[in-house]
Amino acid sequence: KPFHPTRLQEVLSNKKVFDGTLRSKGFFWMASSWKICGEWAQAGLELSLSPLKPWNSILVDMDLEDEDRDMVEKELKEVAQEPFGDRRQEIVFIGTRNLSEDRVKQALDKVLLTDEEMKGGFDKWQSLDDPVGVLDDEDVMQLVEGDHDHDHEESDDSEDDSEDDSEDSDDDSQEDDDQQAANTSDVGEKRGRDSSDKGSKRHVVARPHNYE
């Protein structure tokens, strides 16, 4: 069952529930989001909830490389339960003696949709108020598609860089040959050139919402 977003926010605001927790991590399913798996990451007093990736149930219908498709299909087969595929809650809590497994479990169980709410289906769930507001199927899918295009651009850039490096290497080699020829009569004087240009690396940093 997915989390009800409003009830999840209420539990996150109750520090007593997680008393004694040093660290918690995993992923979660929010009722208002059908496509995106949420990441739960907490260390000390800071808890971050953020989009992780599309569920494998969504990825399997996307245009994937054969190797990626094999991995997605394998993972999906291991955990999938119809009609929700691999959507589920999987969070691990680590803490002191003050951490109560029963207290946390009971609190989070109450956050799950009720049997009556489950009957509404996603068409009704997506209209739920979402004060947590970190998972948006439409926006995140655009980012996923944009990242796919970005990978192609990086690949093209890498090829261009390789060609440039190859040309530079050829030029350097020719210059070295010319230099050696010019300095044949003066072996003691040699001039070198450092042509080790470092390519820049691009990366994307996601800044999730924090809840203390």
Side-chain angles (χ1 to χ4, degrees):
K1 291 181 177 181
F3 284 145
H4 189 291
T6 301
R7 294 201 291 270
L8 177 60
Q9 175 62 25
E10 292 172 353
V11 167
L12 293 179
S13 300
N14 186 353
K15 295 182 179 180
K16 292 181 179 180
V17 171
F18 304 105
D19 183 36
T21 303
L22 298 175
R23 179 177 174 81
S24 60
K25 60 181 180 178
F27 49 86
F28 64 95
W29 173 22
M30 191 79 83
S32 53
S33 172
W34 180 252
K35 298 178 180 178
I36 302 302
C37 170
E39 181 178 32
W40 177 299
Q42 177 254 327
L45 298 176
E46 183 175 310
L47 169 64
S48 295
L49 303 180
S50 60
L52 179 60
K53 68 179 185 67
W55 292 103
N56 286 331
S57 301
I58 297 297
L59 281 174
V60 75
D61 293 326
M62 296 178 68
D63 184 17
L64 303 174
E65 298 291 339
D66 291 341
E67 183 176 349
D68 293 334
R69 179 171 297 281
D70 290 343
M71 181 180 67
V72 167
E73 290 179 346
K74 179 182 178 181
E75 292 179 354
L76 186 59
K77 185 177 181 181
E78 290 175 352
V79 299
Q81 293 185 359
E82 294 303 328
F84 303 119
D86 60 326
R87 297 173 182 84
R88 64 195 189 281
Q89 318 292 353
E90 191 167 308
I91 308 170
V92 176
F93 290 83
I94 302 170
T96 66
R97 293 180 178 179
N98 291 333
L99 174 62
S100 169
E101 179 181 349
D102 290 339
R103 182 178 64 236
V104 172
K105 187 176 184 303
Q106 289 174 12
L108 291 180
D109 280 349
K110 292 179 180 179
V111 172
L112 300 174
L113 294 191
T114 64
D115 291 342
E116 188 63 29
E117 289 170 332
M118 288 294 293
K119 295 177 183 178
F122 181 64
D123 288 341
K124 197 165 185 178
W125 304 343
Q126 64 182 340
S127 64
L128 292 171
D129 289 335
D130 186 356
V132 180
V134 294
L135 305 184
D136 188 318
D137 284 347
E138 203 170 311
D139 291 346
V140 178
M141 290 306 293
Q142 288 175 358
L143 289 174
V144 170
E145 292 168 0
D147 187 56
H148 180 70
D149 294 338
H150 174 73
D151 289 341
H152 283 296
E153 290 176 3
E154 277 209 334
S155 178
D156 294 339
D157 289 345
S158 296
E159 292 178 1
D160 292 340
D161 291 342
S162 296
E163 292 177 0
D164 291 341
D165 290 342
S166 178
E167 292 175 1
D168 289 344
S169 178
D170 292 341
D171 291 342
D172 292 343
S173 178
Q174 183 61 45
E175 288 181 9
D176 290 342
D177 290 342
D178 293 342
Q179 188 69 39
Q180 289 177 1
N183 293 337
T184 301
S185 60
D186 188 0
V187 180
E189 182 182 353
K190 294 183 180 179
R191 296 180 182 178
R193 179 182 174 188
D194 183 6
S195 60
S196 58
D197 297 329
K198 295 181 180 180
S200 60
K201 296 182 179 179
R202 292 180 292 179
H203 62 280
V204 178
V205 178
R207 295 178 175 81
H209 293 246
N210 294 328
Y211 299 87
E212 295 185 1

